[in-house]
Amino acid sequence: MTNYAELLQKKHLSTVENKEVCNALMTDDPQMEKLILKYFQQNDYKKIWRQKIGDGVIGGKACGLVMAQKLLSIYLPDCTEHLTSPNTWFIGSHVFREYVAENQCEGIWRIQTIKKDDMQEIKKYQDRLLSGKFPAPVIQKLEEMLDIYGQAPLIIRSSSLLEDSYENAFTGKYDSVICANQGTKAERISKLLNAMRTVYASVLNLSALEYRKKRHLLNKEEHMALIIQTVAGSTHGQYFFPAAAGMGCSYNPYKWMEQINPKAGMLRIV
């Protein structure tokens, strides 16, 4: 067991222990850490730990997801009974680090420019990430997870360390992959592993590298945690899809009419 796992078995965490668990399980980003330490209880950490595969943190997008759920339960308790969240598992960032080492891809940390001469090397590492091997213990845990999910459609989402932070959004830079999750157990695990490889390889997407360059982040090691969730929706004949989808922003950057107040926010429903 890792140290934070041992701490979670205690009846009460001290302030120092609470910070240690946060840094080992979730993040060491100062602003997000402050928010987590203010609102999270020991049971909140345990819930994430039980749904997590591998060591390392759960990444920026995952932290934002669980924090949003926590704040909704605190500040809008009357709304939470009308809200459901997808069944979610987390793949720790150390799984990616081990995957990179196992498949001779450590050179991705040495990519400091994205000039034309670098494209061949970037493509080489992307190919390795797309065809690499996972450690047997990780595959075993993923098979156990699929037993729990059954044949519900899944989406594999990026949750890198730099993603969705206060300073860097990385919106649309990394991939998300939907798995139908149908067929035999062998077929399902094969498709899941391929989806994970695709999201891992997206750490070298040109748009992501350009964004990191623009934000002066090419010299930082970008580790990729993952989120695996059931896809919202229902079956309609041979298809599976939600009745509606949407997104909301607290600030509306698209002021197409004079009377629109950007601070009122925006909802988009499809």
Side-chain angles (χ1 to χ4, degrees):
M1 296 175 69
T2 56
N3 187 45
Y4 73 82
E6 294 172 356
L7 290 175
L8 288 177
Q9 305 309 308
K10 299 177 67 173
K11 291 184 178 180
H12 178 73
L13 294 179
S14 67
T15 301
V16 173
E17 290 170 337
N18 193 24
K19 176 178 168 60
E20 186 176 343
V21 171
C22 174
N23 294 159
L25 181 66
M26 300 186 68
T27 184
D28 59 3
D29 176 80
Q31 290 174 289
M32 182 58 77
E33 176 195 274
K34 183 178 180 181
L35 206 58
I36 292 169
L37 296 180
K38 180 178 179 180
Y39 290 105
F40 265 54
Q41 306 296 321
Q42 193 165 344
N43 282 339
D44 297 315
Y45 293 128
K46 283 185 176 180
K47 184 178 179 181
I48 295 170
W49 173 55
R50 294 190 191 104
Q51 302 279 109
K52 180 168 170 282
I53 295 174
D55 288 329
V57 295
I58 61 175
K61 186 181 290 179
C63 280
L65 173 70
V66 296
M67 178 52 65
Q69 293 171 342
K70 182 66 176 179
L71 293 177
L72 281 171
S73 68
I74 294 173
Y75 291 108
L76 295 172
D78 294 339
C79 294
T80 53
E81 63 180 285
H82 304 292
L83 301 174
T84 59
S85 299
N87 190 3
T88 303
W89 282 69
F90 308 95
I91 310 297
S93 57
H94 284 189
V95 175
F96 176 72
R97 187 172 70 177
E98 294 166 2
Y99 183 81
V100 166
E102 177 71 20
N103 295 287
Q104 294 81 49
C105 292
E106 293 97 329
I108 64 174
W109 314 131
R110 296 191 293 272
I111 296 173
Q112 300 296 313
T113 66
I114 49 174
K115 298 177 182 178
K116 186 176 181 180
D117 294 341
D118 302 315
M119 292 300 104
Q120 187 173 353
E121 184 177 18
I122 292 171
K123 177 67 164 54
K124 176 185 71 175
Y125 288 125
Q126 271 193 319
D127 290 343
R128 289 183 184 179
L129 290 172
L130 286 169
S131 59
K133 295 182 179 180
F134 284 90
V138 171
I139 295 177
Q140 181 180 347
K141 289 293 184 181
L142 290 170
E143 289 175 340
E144 293 171 3
M145 180 197 71
L146 285 183
D147 288 339
I148 295 171
Y149 274 135
Q151 296 201 26
L154 303 175
I155 182 167
I156 293 77
R157 308 175 66 194
S158 66
S159 183
S160 78
L161 269 61
L162 297 175
E163 192 173 2
D164 284 5
S165 69
Y166 280 86
E167 291 81 17
N168 311 293
F170 281 87
T171 305
K173 305 304 180 186
Y174 299 133
D175 291 346
S176 294
V177 180
I178 291 179
C179 280
N181 192 30
Q182 305 294 301
T184 66
K185 182 72 171 289
E187 291 171 336
R188 290 160 57 213
I189 191 66
S190 176
K191 294 289 179 61
L192 173 60
L193 293 175
N194 282 336
M196 292 172 61
R197 291 183 181 104
T198 298
V199 180
Y200 278 171
S202 71
V203 78
L204 294 177
N205 281 352
L206 187 57
S207 60
L209 292 172
E210 288 175 340
Y211 185 84
R212 288 175 61 193
K213 179 183 178 181
K214 182 179 179 181
R215 310 290 290 187
H216 307 291
L217 297 170
L218 273 178
N219 62 333
K220 289 194 174 184
E221 292 189 5
E222 174 69 307
H223 292 266
M224 182 69 74
L226 300 176
I227 306 170
I228 300 179
Q229 296 177 305
T230 49
V231 178
S234 54
T235 301
H236 302 271
Q238 62 177 324
Y239 301 106
F240 183 96
F241 55 85
M247 54 85 72
C249 298
S250 59
Y251 182 86
N252 181 4
Y254 306 106
K255 187 176 180 180
W256 62 87
M257 297 174 65
E258 184 61 33
Q259 59 266 40
I260 289 177
N261 177 12
K263 294 182 179 179
M266 176 183 69
L267 290 175
R268 182 184 182 192
I269 305 297
V270 180

